[in-house]
Amino acid sequence: MKKSIVSCVVTALVSAGIAGIGSAPAGAAPVSTYEQAASAPPQVDPELRNRVAGGGRVRVNVVTETRKEMPDAARSGRVLQTLSRLPVVTLSVDEAALERLTGLPGVVSVTEDRPVPPVLAQSVSLIGGDRTREAGMTGAGSVVAVLDTGVAVNHPFLRGRVVAEACFSPADPDYSASSLCPGGTDQQEGAGAADAESGPCADAALDCDHGTHVAGIVAGNGQNLAGAPAAGVAPAAELVAIQVFSKFESEDFCGPGAAPCVLSFTSAQLAGLDKVLQLKEAGTPVVAANLSLGGGRYTAPCDDDPRKQAIDDLLEAGVATVVAAGNDGFGDAVNAPACVSSAVTVGSTTVQDEVSGFSNRGPLLDVFAPGTAVVSSMPGGGWAPMSGTSMAAPHVTGAFAVLRQAFPGKTAAELEAAMKTTGRAIAYPGATTPRLQLDDAALGAGPGPEPAPAPTYDNWTSRAIPDPGVVESSIVVEGILGNAPANLEVYADVHHSWRGDLKIDLIAPDGRTYPLRAPAAGDDDDFIHENYRVNASSSPANGTWRLRVQDVKRNDTGNIFGWMLTVPQLTNWTRYDIPDRGTAESSIVVGGIPGNAPVNVKVYVDVHHSWRGDVKVDLIGPNGRVYPVLAPSPKDSEDIIHETYTVNAGSSPASGTWRLRVEDVAAGDTGYLDGWMLTL
């Protein structure tokens, strides 16, 4: 292949690749083939070191930049599993093996192989989809378009609901690309054109299952299906299935050891979006188009993207374009076309309402939805879990169908606004983004006063680091009562030509020093982008905090680019019914914080009850000590509690299981605990 063609196609695929990990679609695994963080330090779960301390062992998934680094990584522990194409190996490791992995060139991330219950019913109920379904809001009367790797149109979860099909799958021998259209042509329309179980996609090695999984999350219906998830978000909506991927044979595009693979040209996506507009203009009631694909890294809107106009035209016609943010773990960036300002950009959260580690996020993100270990339909009539922003986006796509049924006169922009204003606030360094709460958006509960986002303080003034020498950057904290939290988060962004020379400490307002990072002689990378967790409960919260960076050796220079302090919050948004004259409890597990809890624990409570004056609320510490939060008030006839309370919980250990107990003390009214938040 000519060099100029290779260069052009790599550029094209960076902006048009799948929003997934590696060369597979966005939910499949955590590595980008075309934008590898070659110089970034490995991302390591902070809790792993605690798990392996003192001789313990833990299962971990190790992601490497390419498959070439996998054998060296595999030698660090006992191999439990390897994958056929993706650069991921599962190991059993002890403390020494974990330390070796963190310093091994080519390792991108080391994360716990954590067992979780992978059920679609759980992700749908988390956003309130079970309540909208019970209320008859099922997306009936709307059509959603899935632009992906095709759909298994005869899958029992989807059977009878695909009303239109098309395939735009360019073949180009210069790019080793061939068509996935069942008929073998570059374009095909009509019945069977996007069937993932026909033509080349019938080859299981191509992983054309992605689109079927996405479609099931949007609109699957598991009624009377043994072993199936209960339903997708909009189980009565109909589907337009559009194949926009081609088959690639070359490792130049698929990555080492990953050929053949499926990738999507921007031109195919444009043809697919244009087809959606044609259908809409011809009278098909399309409300949203789902694009769980993308590539690149964008911190600002990319409105020069060639897909911008197509997305704008659809929005003007009443169709929202929902795009996965991408799975690179960027804290301040998303992929394209998620960066298009008129697209609805979706990130992923876990069932614990934490940002999924792989999810891109930041100011360009519009909304979060569940995307971790979601079970949905797969070709062949089966079911399987997948994780990624690809799984989060179809929750939002299905939500548009439900909201169109609830509010037929509203525009797509107004439906998007309803999702944002009623969503649960998810705070993370640099931004706060709502997580879809469909029942509140569709059933008129409206946005109650959300808890304030996690307090964040930052200083992005660059400070040069002397060679050798010490430099400090300060942040003034105000408005927090009592001492600092026991799990204060410190994000440091430091650039240095040899970061192993650096020692980093946090200095509290009372002068107490909290070590963050020690020098590491062999560490020759050139920047630090790290979150550190500090038990700072011995120091006052208010006052001047300082980040001190010391260069302990000569010959290299750098600067503090900026840093941030965040007071993190722990949540449980699982809904629990409160029996009439009964009790409901919800728990949050806190780990890794030594000593007792602070004297200014914050507890945010979200309770819905037909007579809230009947409600008594207590916080129960890990040692069983009960801290009263709210006493009954018999004359209070209001029906919602959205309040933050301060509790002196210093008599209980910080780590362990905390419980919120809600008791109905009088007969005649019922309600539910919608969720709560704990800030230590």
Side-chain angles (χ1 to χ4, degrees):
M1 185 181 297
K2 295 179 181 179
K3 183 177 180 181
S4 60
I5 294 178
V6 173
S7 176
C8 290
V9 77
V10 169
T11 301
L13 290 173
V14 165
S15 64
I18 307 174
I21 304 167
S23 60
V31 155
S32 170
T33 301
Y34 298 104
E35 182 164 314
Q36 298 159 350
S39 61
Q43 300 175 9
V44 182
D45 280 350
E47 292 300 316
L48 286 178
R49 288 185 172 85
N50 294 333
R51 296 286 302 277
V52 298
R57 299 185 70 88
V58 64
R59 291 173 62 103
V60 294
N61 293 315
V62 182
V63 179
T64 56
E65 292 171 15
T66 70
R67 291 184 63 83
K68 294 179 180 178
E69 292 84 12
M70 283 181 58
D72 196 18
R75 285 191 287 270
S76 297
R78 179 163 54 88
V79 177
L80 302 176
Q81 176 180 276
T82 59
L83 301 176
S84 60
R85 297 181 196 83
L86 299 175
V88 182
V89 59
T90 303
L91 305 174
S92 174
V93 299
D94 57 15
E95 188 171 13
L98 181 62
E99 289 306 312
R100 183 176 187 275
L101 285 168
T102 60
L104 196 63
V107 173
V108 175
S109 66
V110 184
T111 56
E112 183 180 354
D113 187 26
R114 185 177 295 113
V116 295
V119 286
L120 178 57
Q122 188 173 28
S123 68
V124 171
S125 64
L126 181 66
I127 65 170
D130 54 340
R131 294 186 67 214
T132 56
R133 190 167 64 245
E134 290 169 1
M137 299 295 172
T138 58
S142 286
V143 176
V144 292
V146 175
L147 284 69
D148 213 292
T149 62
V151 172
V153 297
N154 293 316
H155 194 290
F157 207 41
L158 305 168
R159 185 180 293 138
R161 312 255 299 297
V162 178
V163 296
E165 296 179 59
C167 176
F168 303 100
S169 180
D172 191 326
D174 287 337
Y175 299 93
S176 75
S178 60
S179 174
L180 290 174
C181 296
T185 58
D186 286 8
Q187 296 187 15
Q188 182 178 341
E189 297 189 27
D195 185 4
E197 295 178 312
S198 300
C201 265
D203 181 0
L206 282 184
D207 292 333
C208 284
D209 49 9
H210 189 260
T212 303
H213 197 277
V214 167
I217 297 172
V218 174
N221 188 342
Q223 187 175 8
N224 300 323
L225 294 179
V233 177
E238 293 180 309
L239 293 163
V240 171
I242 301 181
Q243 167 69 265
V244 294
F245 285 83
S246 298
K247 176 182 177 180
F248 286 74
E249 300 280 2
S250 172
E251 292 186 354
D252 290 340
F253 307 107
C254 297
C261 65
V262 293
L263 298 169
S264 176
F265 286 108
T266 298
S267 59
Q269 298 164 38
L270 286 168
L273 291 170
D274 185 63
K275 179 63 179 177
V276 175
L277 184 59
Q278 291 177 32
L279 290 168
K280 178 69 173 181
E281 291 174 342
T284 302
V286 184
V287 66
N290 191 94
L291 287 167
S292 287
L293 47 81
R297 186 181 192 278
Y298 296 84
T299 58
C302 58
D303 285 350
D304 57 351
D305 187 284
R307 291 156 289 196
K308 172 69 160 58
Q309 188 59 54
I311 293 171
D312 287 351
D313 291 347
L314 283 170
L315 185 60
E316 185 176 354
V319 180
T321 302
V322 181
V323 187
N327 298 343
D328 308 280
F330 299 144
D332 61 350
V334 300
N335 292 168
C339 51
V340 172
S341 61
S342 47
V344 182
T345 305
V346 185
S348 171
T349 53
T350 69
V351 294
Q352 291 81 29
D353 263 348
E354 298 174 348
V355 181
S356 302
F358 54 75
S359 178
N360 292 346
R361 68 206 79 164
L364 296 183
L365 201 64
D366 291 305
V367 65
F368 280 118
T372 299
V374 181
V375 168
S376 185
S377 44
M378 301 286 278
W383 324 93
M386 295 179 76
S387 294
T389 54
S390 281
M391 282 63 255
H395 283 84
V396 175
T397 301
F400 272 104
V402 172
L403 291 175
R404 165 63 68 235
Q405 182 182 3
F407 308 108
K410 290 189 179 295
T411 67
E414 289 171 330
L415 298 182
E416 178 187 355
M419 294 186 205
K420 292 181 177 180
T421 57
T422 57
R424 297 197 179 283
I426 305 295
Y428 52 95
T432 298
T433 302
R435 193 267 290 150
L436 174 66
Q437 190 62 46
L438 181 57
D439 53 344
D440 282 352
L443 301 179
E450 289 288 348
T456 299
Y457 309 85
D458 56 44
N459 183 342
W460 296 104
T461 302
S462 180
R463 300 294 304 275
I465 304 169
D467 180 31
V470 177
V471 66
E472 292 185 351
S473 177
S474 62
I475 289 174
V476 177
V477 174
E478 299 176 335
I480 298 180
L481 299 175
N483 281 6
N487 59 340
L488 182 68
E489 288 186 359
V490 184
Y491 175 77
D493 187 341
V494 179
H495 298 231
H496 196 270
S497 51
W498 191 286
R499 71 179 188 185
D501 292 351
L502 299 183
K503 181 178 184 292
I504 304 179
D505 297 305
L506 177 69
I507 314 297
D510 60 356
R512 188 182 297 267
T513 300
Y514 299 95
L516 302 181
R517 175 186 172 90
D523 188 351
D524 61 349
D525 281 331
D526 55 6
F527 62 85
I528 297 168
H529 292 154
E530 291 290 340
N531 273 308
Y532 303 93
R533 181 168 290 185
V534 177
N535 182 350
S537 58
S538 298
S539 297
N542 291 336
T544 300
W545 293 79
R546 292 171 289 148
L547 188 75
R548 184 171 64 198
V549 179
Q550 180 180 1
D551 185 344
V552 300
K553 291 186 178 180
R554 292 188 182 277
N555 299 325
D556 290 277
T557 59
N559 65 289
I560 300 176
F561 191 76
W563 68 296
M564 182 185 306
L565 286 174
T566 302
V567 180
Q569 297 161 327
L570 304 162
T571 62
N572 184 341
W573 294 110
T574 302
R575 173 176 157 169
Y576 293 95
D577 290 332
I578 306 168
D580 192 12
R581 299 212 64 175
T583 299
E585 285 193 357
S586 176
S587 62
I588 290 174
V589 177
V590 178
I593 304 177
N596 279 9
V599 297
N600 58 336
V601 171
K602 300 292 193 302
V603 183
Y604 173 79
V605 179
D606 186 341
V607 171
H608 297 238
H609 196 273
S610 51
W611 192 286
R612 72 179 185 187
D614 292 351
V615 172
K616 179 178 183 290
V617 181
D618 296 306
L619 177 68
I620 304 173
N623 59 351
R625 187 177 294 270
V626 178
Y627 301 97
V629 172
L630 176 67
S633 179
K635 295 183 179 180
D636 186 352
S637 62
E638 295 295 326
D639 55 6
I640 294 178
I641 300 170
H642 287 151
E643 294 291 340
T644 299
Y645 304 91
T646 300
V647 177
N648 182 348
S651 298
S652 295
S655 293
T657 300
W658 292 80
R659 291 173 291 149
L660 191 76
R661 183 172 63 198
V662 182
E663 181 181 359
D664 185 342
V665 300
D669 292 275
T670 60
Y672 60 92
L673 169 62
D674 205 25
W676 64 297
M677 178 182 296
L678 183 68
T679 304
L680 295 179

